[in-house]
Amino acid sequence: MIIQIEAESDIPIYTQLTNQIIEGIARGEIAPGDSLPSVRAFAADLGVNMHTVNKSYHELEKKGIISIVPKSGAIISPTERISEEKKQQIITDLKPVIAEALVLGVNKKEVQEFVNTILGEMKER
Amino acid sequence: MIIQIEAESDIPIYTQLTNQIIEGIARGEIAPGDSLPSVRAFAADLGVNMHTVNKSYHELEKKGIISIVPKSGAIISPTERISEEKKQQIITDLKPVIAEALVLGVNKKEVQEFVNTILGEMKER
DNA sequence: ACAACTGTTCTATAATTCATAGAACAAATT
DNA sequence: AATTTGTTCTATGAATTATAGAACAGTTGT
């Protein structure tokens, strides 16, 4: 899996890393049961600080995407049934992006096409 | 249009305001040509600082959603043809949210339903 | 058993962001 | 003429982001 960090971005490095790991899982490049690199090795690889990678891992754990085994490693969790609360959070996150698209002149059909394009890049789990 | 600001949220106040204004336009509650309240009046209404509202207005202007006429007011811009670059930005913004949904166990069909639910709340322009 | 590696925790620093506050200016509105 | 407008300036305090180094204790590989 290729990770690309942009230091100049307004998105924090640990968030960029979190998102790209999630997208890697969604694409099927890494699967449940797989281990993520150690925080030190990954940090050295990316050219960032160990604590930055650690923060990303804990963000992923909080989201329920990986489980960190102390003194061992970070393992991608199996997919479970999502709660109604988390579904609502997804909708809340989607809403501002879709609203902006419509306001900027994207029509509804095109929004659906955008979503389908993205879904096409990802694996059904 | 009802604006609800959550001071405890991890989302900055000016971003919350920006998003809710965009959603108000998307729902058709406010339309191109309409004026937004003055930064001072809006700030007093919301119980936040004038500069916070001002920051939101400038964010909206940068996105091409309103036009600020100095010494006059902020007016919602008419919808124009969106550039290919902005379309790509929309897709870039959608991607992490959709990827997270899939990883958390939402299936593709359900993602499409989420999007359609949101689109149903908004007006075609 | 030993060495290497693991995540954790602690202190520390610098830059940036977020939100607030007050004041003053010049143009537009009433 | 008085009020309201967005703009600009300085200022402050809290929080966030990213880095750095050190030490600890458990796990893993040889």
Side-chain angles (χ1 to χ4, degrees):
Chain A
M1 196 178 64
I2 306 129
I3 302 284
Q4 275 290 47
I5 299 297
E6 291 179 44
E8 335 82 32
S9 171
D10 54 338
I11 301 167
I13 295 173
Y14 76 91
T15 304
Q16 292 183 48
L17 182 54
T18 299
N19 285 343
Q20 291 190 42
I21 291 169
I22 292 173
E23 284 165 34
I25 300 171
R27 279 195 226 93
E29 293 171 17
I30 42 178
D34 288 355
S35 289
L36 292 176
S38 78
V39 289
R40 275 177 244 253
F42 214 173
D45 187 24
L46 297 172
V48 301
N49 193 276
M50 174 192 78
H51 299 100
T52 306
V53 176
N54 198 245
K55 191 166 184 181
S56 172
Y57 281 10
H58 280 275
E59 202 187 13
L60 286 164
E61 192 181 40
K62 197 179 168 194
K63 285 175 183 286
I65 292 172
I66 67 173
S67 99
I68 301 173
V69 185
K71 315 299 169 197
S72 178
I75 294 120
I76 300 171
S77 302
T79 306
E80 296 183 16
R81 267 234 314 295
I82 187 174
S83 68
E84 207 51 48
E85 193 189 348
K86 281 187 183 177
K87 284 184 185 177
Q88 275 305 319
Q89 187 56 55
I90 299 288
I91 292 174
T92 300
D93 292 342
L94 279 173
K95 200 172 283 186
V97 187
I98 292 175
E100 181 175 342
L102 291 173
V103 169
L104 289 178
V106 180
N107 62 45
K108 292 187 177 185
K109 193 179 169 188
E110 211 169 357
V111 170
Q112 290 171 328
E113 286 170 6
F114 287 175
V115 172
N116 287 335
T117 300
I118 294 167
L119 288 175
E121 296 173 13
M122 320 239 159
K123 249 178 81 176
E124 187 88 60
R125 305 184 95 206
Chain B
M1 194 179 65
I2 306 130
I3 302 285
Q4 275 290 47
I5 299 297
E6 291 179 45
E8 335 81 33
S9 170
D10 53 338
I11 300 167
I13 295 173
Y14 76 91
T15 304
Q16 292 183 49
L17 182 55
T18 300
N19 285 343
Q20 291 189 41
I21 291 169
I22 292 173
E23 284 165 33
I25 301 171
R27 279 194 225 93
E29 291 172 16
I30 42 176
D34 287 354
S35 288
L36 292 177
S38 79
V39 290
R40 275 177 245 252
F42 214 171
D45 188 23
L46 298 172
V48 301
N49 193 275
M50 173 192 79
H51 298 101
T52 306
V53 176
N54 198 245
K55 191 168 182 178
S56 171
Y57 280 10
H58 280 275
E59 202 186 11
L60 286 164
E61 191 181 41
K62 196 179 167 193
K63 285 175 182 287
I65 292 171
I66 68 173
S67 100
I68 301 172
V69 185
K71 316 299 168 195
S72 178
I75 293 120
I76 300 170
S77 303
T79 307
E80 296 184 16
R81 267 234 313 297
I82 187 173
S83 68
E84 207 50 50
E85 193 188 348
K86 282 186 181 176
K87 284 186 185 176
Q88 276 305 318
Q89 187 56 55
I90 300 288
I91 293 174
T92 300
D93 292 341
L94 280 173
K95 200 172 283 185
V97 187
I98 293 175
E100 183 174 341
L102 292 173
V103 169
L104 289 178
V106 181
N107 63 45
K108 292 187 178 186
K109 194 180 169 186
E110 211 168 356
V111 170
Q112 290 170 329
E113 285 169 5
F114 287 174
V115 172
N116 287 336
T117 299
I118 295 168
L119 288 175
E121 295 173 14
M122 320 240 159
K123 249 179 80 177
E124 187 88 60
R125 306 183 94 204

